[in-house]
Amino acid sequence: MTTIGSRTMQIDINLSKCEGHGLCEQLAPQVFGLDDEGYVFLKVDQPIPAELEEAAAAGARVCPVAALRVLR
Amino acid sequence: MTLDHIVVAGGSIAAVTAAGALRTAGFGGRVTLVSAERAAPYSRVPLSKGVMIGTETPESAALPALPDDVELMLGTAAAGLRVDRRELILAGGGVVDYDGLVIATGARARRLAAPGQRGELVVRTLADAEAIAERRADASSAVVVGGGFLGMEVASTLRHHGLEVTVVDMEPPLRRLLGPWLAEYVTKAALEHGVRLVISEGGVVLEGDPISGVRLGNGEFIAGDLVVSAVGDIPNAEWLEGSGLRLANGVVVDERCRVAPAITGAGDVVSREVSPGVFRRTPHWSNAVAQGRAAATSLLDDGASPYVPDHYFWTEQYGLDVKIAGEPPLVGEPDVLAGDLDGREVLLRWSNTDDATTAVVSINYRMPAARLRKMVA
Ligand SMILES: Cc1cc2nc3c(=O)[nH]c(=O)nc-3n(C[C@H](O)[C@H](O)[C@H](O)COP(=O)(O)OP(=O)(O)OC[C@H]3O[C@@H](n4cnc5c(N)ncnc54)[C@H](O)[C@@H]3O)c2cc1C
Ligand code: SF4
């Protein structure tokens, strides 16, 4: 299993890339949201809470335009 | 049978999603991803945009890494399958044992060049995009064969960067995919951007070696410094021939993405029987994600509920950012829900004869994607 509990993960959002497809939000609604204009924002503080790390990484991986990076 | 080792064949979004979903679902055994490509998983979506023209680096398309405990075997193609022995045979002759298998080997570009004929460009892999980026510096004209999403996006990108671009197809661009109304709307923007659209009912023949242009059905020759084929994709399912698995326009999956006991499939390589004898693939990103998750859950729990197909896709071309929720093609004319058609910032709704919403399309109209999807519930 993935080791959890480090709380050192950051999500780097490249807003100029985001096209608002919302796949990140669909997969990890606890972590990602879309604003009224349809752009992504983080619903949680950085670093990402340990229990949400996996969800955050999974949400980042489905972004079709690679606007989300995972920094560990 | 307990699952100790799950192998995922493929290395793109369907495979990555499946592998990730296995971990998210709590699977603690070994997970191995076997991918033919040498490159670590990346998105194809930016390839027809910045990567192809060289304004974005190949690295910018990389997908965030999988958890450390997913083993990656890159540059390793699956070449065969022994279902009864649960063995995946590798191209080099090696064998990988599995308890569960996800088939996610995607699709490849269809080509038109004759055997041995050089210089045909396609846009499917990072290497393809880099090849175009390399050649476009010396190019002033391009012929794009194929007026589907991909061809029209490629043409848009090349035109935006100053090339003279001709798109050739056997039928009006985008029509089969978008329906006549929306296809015409987008086509109009393409023409305004100075792209030339040519219909050649008899198809085209690529001429020259290296290829220097295309010959139309009527005999006319159109020269291009770049000739890019965007004429569809072929599911990478040949390696499964002889395995006994059901192949029809790809690997056939059911509504839970199951192929056979202990085998599931996802993404561009799979098809579903939508009506008797009709096997349809849904080669889109959001579908690969939905199926990748289902392929993982079904493997872990045979009683998992059927997956919900995600009929959401988009295209960006000629200054139009088009997002579509609903299943195309879009028949008839839409209602304008908000915005302005001529101003090209508009929210459109298609409906059937019972006035039920069949699709909602936003064009440069900013709103959260979830709301768009919900409107077609
Ligand atoms: C340029 C371009 C732009 C696109 N734009 C959009 C868009 O805007 N919106 C949208 O919804 N969709 C778009 N798509 C489609 C989308 O990218 C695909 O639907 C998606 O990539 C499918 O993912 P997949 O994992 O099923 O297959 P693929 O992406 O085809 O990946 C297949 C993987 O399997 C590997 N593989 C193949 N054969 C073998 C083998 N024998 N053994 C092991 N591994 C193997 C390959 O190396 C690859 O890693 C675009 C596609 C392209 C090419
Ligand atoms: S998936 Fe990517 S493009 Fe879509 S909203 Fe999230 S960050 Fe933006």
Side-chain angles (χ1 to χ4, degrees):
Chain A
M1 283 294 304
T2 322
T3 34
I4 305 182
S6 50
R7 200 178 161 119
T8 56
M9 197 180 102
Q10 306 249 8
I11 296 284
D12 174 44
I13 297 182
N14 184 339
L15 259 190
S16 66
K17 272 188 171 182
C18 173
E19 294 176 358
H21 298 301
L23 287 151
C24 54
E25 179 192 42
Q26 221 179 5
L27 200 76
Q30 324 91 301
V31 181
F32 301 102
L34 295 194
D35 65 19
D36 281 347
E37 293 269 280
Y39 294 106
V40 65
F41 66 88
L42 272 184
K43 286 184 176 167
V44 294
D45 288 336
Q46 303 255 40
I48 303 292
E51 68 281 9
L52 291 178
E53 282 189 355
E54 247 180 47
R61 276 196 300 270
V62 297
C63 174
V65 293
L68 304 171
R69 283 198 310 151
V70 179
L71 311 175
R72 284 176 202 271
Chain B
M1 163 121 201
T2 56
L3 293 171
D4 290 324
H5 185 201
I6 294 180
V7 173
V8 182
S12 187
I13 186 61
V16 162
T17 305
L22 288 169
R23 287 292 182 239
T24 315
F27 176 67
R30 274 177 75 200
V31 178
T32 307
L33 200 103
V34 177
S35 173
E37 275 177 285
R38 261 173 234 291
Y42 59 89
S43 170
R44 302 189 193 284
V45 175
L47 299 186
S48 51
K49 318 242 165 56
V51 180
M52 178 186 93
I53 211 79
T55 54
E56 297 278 347
T57 61
E59 294 74 43
S60 70
L63 294 176
L66 280 161
D68 291 341
D69 55 5
V70 172
E71 297 167 42
L72 291 187
M73 291 174 71
L74 300 177
T76 310
L81 190 63
R82 290 194 201 104
V83 173
D84 52 336
R85 294 163 66 170
R86 302 203 175 187
E87 288 176 351
L88 184 75
I89 302 156
L90 305 178
V95 169
V96 180
D97 296 319
Y98 65 83
D99 303 311
L101 174 70
V102 179
I103 297 171
T105 47
R108 63 181 180 279
R110 197 158 82 77
R111 289 173 179 272
L112 298 175
Q117 192 182 15
R118 292 161 304 163
E120 178 182 31
L121 298 164
V122 295
V123 192
R124 182 79 203 180
T125 66
L126 258 186
D128 295 337
E130 287 175 280
I132 295 179
E134 206 166 282
R135 284 190 44 196
R136 75 105 182 175
D138 308 318
S140 59
S141 65
V143 180
V144 178
V145 184
F149 283 117
L150 183 59
M152 289 292 273
E153 283 187 12
V154 167
S156 171
T157 303
L158 293 173
R159 179 71 199 134
H160 185 72
H161 288 84
L163 277 77
E164 290 297 324
V165 181
T166 307
V167 176
V168 187
D169 200 326
M170 298 199 275
E171 41 188 289
L174 300 170
R175 182 171 285 188
R176 204 158 24 93
L177 299 154
L178 294 183
W181 192 94
L182 192 54
E184 222 153 279
Y185 189 86
V186 177
T187 302
K188 203 171 147 220
L191 291 171
E192 278 168 25
H193 279 74
V195 168
R196 191 176 155 222
L197 302 174
V198 173
I199 294 177
S200 172
E201 277 168 15
V204 303
V205 176
L206 307 188
E207 283 197 357
D209 186 23
I211 290 159
S212 58
V214 305
R215 181 78 56 189
L216 308 186
N218 66 6
E220 189 191 336
F221 180 76
I222 303 177
D225 298 329
L226 306 179
V227 176
V228 186
S229 296
V231 289
D233 53 342
I234 302 171
N236 292 319
E238 291 83 356
W239 65 279
L240 292 164
E241 277 163 15
S243 66
L245 298 185
R246 191 166 178 213
L247 305 180
N249 187 23
V251 189
V252 181
V253 297
D254 68 6
E255 72 290 345
R256 294 182 170 86
C257 285
R258 293 174 304 189
V259 178
I263 304 178
T264 57
D268 284 13
V269 73
V270 308
S271 67
R272 287 184 58 187
E273 190 165 15
V274 289
S275 56
V278 180
F279 296 87
R280 187 170 301 155
R281 294 192 300 126
T282 316
H284 294 297
W285 184 272
S286 57
N287 185 65
V289 170
Q291 289 184 332
R293 295 174 75 185
T297 21
S298 292
L299 212 49
L300 299 177
D301 171 12
D302 201 45
S305 42
Y307 85 102
V308 186
D310 190 359
H311 294 296
Y312 170 80
F313 64 99
W314 65 89
T315 181
E316 236 195 302
Q317 40 183 294
Y318 314 104
L320 303 177
D321 167 8
V322 184
K323 295 186 170 71
I324 302 168
E327 206 173 352
L330 313 173
V331 186
E333 293 205 3
D335 306 317
V336 174
L337 292 183
D340 168 29
L341 260 184
D342 297 325
R344 302 218 162 126
E345 193 178 320
V346 69
L347 185 63
L348 301 168
R349 168 183 179 265
W350 270 261
S351 52
N352 60 17
T353 42
D354 299 333
D355 202 36
T357 305
T358 53
V360 178
V361 174
S362 73
I363 301 176
N364 294 344
Y365 188 89
R366 307 286 338 175
M367 65 185 270
R371 245 172 52 211
L372 193 73
R373 287 187 168 95
K374 238 176 251 151
M375 294 170 76
V376 209

